Amino acid sequence: MKYLFLIIIILFLVLACCRVVPQNNEGLIETLGKYSRTVKAGLVLIIPVIQRLRKVSLAMFPAEISKYSIITKDNAEITTSLTLNYLVTDSYKYFYNNTDSVKSMVELIRGHLRDIIGRMDLNDALGSTSSINSQLSEAIGDLTDIYGIRVVRVNIDELLPSTEIQKAMDKQLTADREKIAAIEKAEGEAKNIELTTKAKNEALIATAKAKAEAVKTEADAEAYRINQLQSSLAKASDGYFKNQSLDSFNNLAKGPNNLIVVDKDNVTSLGSIPAAAKVWHETTTNNELEK
């Protein structure tokens, strides 16, 4: 029984000396409250009561920086929030160099973000989220090493102007959209007028060309007729023209007007024309009866 008690005490002391550091963790061993050494994952032996083991996770942690206000270069207030991922790179610095390394890291990031956005105008800040992310990552760089932490990723989730500024921006946006719509409408109407005028002008030109072609065709036809007539007359004999003259006098004699004007060279031959002789005979007979 006595030996059993001793065995139990020995087992208890052995178990008290054994500690296990999980995977992806480091162990900080303190001797009488003072840092002694750092151990890796696995089984670790310590001196009970005198030594103590503190475990520090080396896994990646997500963190969220709640909303807070920042004043831009043009004195506009915007609200921002961030998310980031970090991991512990030096367990000694992480645990001993600061009472709260994560909080210190967050304050460092917030301060740098204020500085970056504070040097930008509101419009530039709202439209440059990616650029701000890059500048922030570059600014914090290795600064968090003093806390034994490395920031793997930092991202701005939102940049929101104040309610008053949002209302003003909405009004400006509405005015700009109305202006653009009015300009587009005016341009559309101007284009429509231009196309309509162009179509009318083209129609007038086409009509004028058609009329010109018709006149030209008619003139060509008339010229052709005259040329053919002149060609035929040039080939006609004197008898043809005499017959034409006789036909003309005959037609004149049949009409109500019997006045004939001829040159003096043709007066002597007027009597040989049957129509003229008939007229002369009727005139002489009427004169004798009146006497």
Side-chain angles (χ1 to χ4, degrees):
M1 189 70 179
K2 181 179 179 180
Y3 293 107
L4 180 61
F5 181 73
L6 291 175
I7 293 173
I8 293 174
I9 292 176
I10 293 172
L11 288 175
F12 177 77
L13 292 174
V14 170
L15 292 176
C17 292
C18 295
R19 294 289 186 272
V20 176
V21 178
Q23 179 68 32
N24 207 22
N25 282 254
E26 282 186 346
L28 301 175
I29 297 178
E30 299 174 349
T31 302
L32 298 176
K34 181 180 180 180
Y35 169 77
S36 177
R37 70 182 190 276
T38 301
V39 295
K40 302 297 183 181
L43 180 64
V44 179
L45 297 177
I46 64 173
I47 302 174
V49 181
I50 297 176
Q51 292 183 326
R52 179 180 180 183
L53 175 67
R54 296 184 182 275
K55 301 174 185 177
V56 178
S57 176
L58 303 180
M60 187 176 296
F61 290 93
E64 181 178 348
I65 301 178
S66 58
K67 295 181 179 180
Y68 67 102
S69 298
I70 299 177
I71 304 299
T72 62
K73 182 179 179 181
D74 50 353
N75 296 321
E77 181 182 357
I78 59 176
T79 302
T80 183
S81 63
L82 302 91
T83 55
L84 57 91
N85 293 93
Y86 70 93
L87 52 82
V88 175
T89 56
D90 190 321
S91 57
Y92 178 86
K93 291 180 180 180
Y94 175 78
F95 195 82
Y96 294 110
N97 284 6
N98 203 292
T99 56
D100 192 335
S101 294
V102 175
K103 184 178 180 180
S104 298
M105 174 195 64
V106 169
E107 292 300 325
L108 177 68
I109 293 174
R110 287 162 64 103
H112 277 287
L113 184 59
R114 281 196 182 96
D115 179 63
I116 293 171
I117 295 180
R119 290 184 276 108
M120 303 174 70
D121 292 331
L122 175 62
N123 291 334
D124 293 337
L126 294 179
S128 306
T129 305
S130 298
S131 176
I132 295 173
N133 283 334
S134 299
Q135 293 182 56
L136 183 59
S137 297
E138 182 178 355
I140 60 178
D142 299 329
L143 295 180
T144 55
D145 284 347
I146 61 175
Y147 309 123
I149 295 174
R150 180 166 65 88
V151 177
V152 178
R153 184 188 65 87
V154 59
N155 183 67
I156 298 176
D157 292 331
E158 60 180 15
L159 284 175
L160 297 177
S162 62
T163 305
E164 294 76 11
I165 295 177
Q166 287 187 39
K167 291 180 180 179
M169 292 176 66
D170 290 341
K171 289 181 180 179
Q172 181 65 38
L173 181 61
T174 301
D176 290 342
R177 288 177 177 174
E178 291 177 352
K179 179 180 178 181
I180 293 173
I183 292 174
E184 290 179 350
K185 181 179 179 182
E187 290 177 349
E189 291 177 352
K191 188 67 175 179
N192 183 49
I193 293 173
E194 178 184 353
L195 294 176
T196 302
T197 303
K198 182 179 179 181
K200 289 181 179 179
N201 291 337
E202 290 178 351
L204 290 174
I205 293 172
T207 302
K209 287 182 178 179
K211 289 182 179 180
E213 290 292 334
V215 171
K216 183 177 182 300
T217 302
E218 185 178 355
D220 291 342
E222 182 65 17
Y224 177 78
R225 186 185 69 78
I226 293 173
N227 289 335
Q228 291 298 108
L229 180 60
Q230 289 178 349
S231 177
S232 299
L233 292 176
K235 297 178 182 179
S237 60
D238 293 340
Y240 171 77
F241 293 105
K242 291 181 180 180
N243 289 333
Q244 290 293 320
S245 299
L246 292 175
D247 290 339
S248 298
F249 281 118
N250 287 332
N251 291 332
L252 183 61
K254 294 177 182 179
N257 300 319
N258 301 124
L259 177 63
I260 302 174
V261 179
V262 296
D263 57 30
K264 64 181 180 178
D265 296 332
N266 294 324
V267 173
T268 56
S269 60
L270 188 60
S272 62
I273 301 174
K278 180 179 178 181
V279 172
W280 176 262
H281 175 72
E282 290 179 352
T283 304
T284 304
T285 302
N286 291 333
N287 291 335
E288 290 178 354
L289 292 176
E290 288 178 357
K291 292 180 179 181

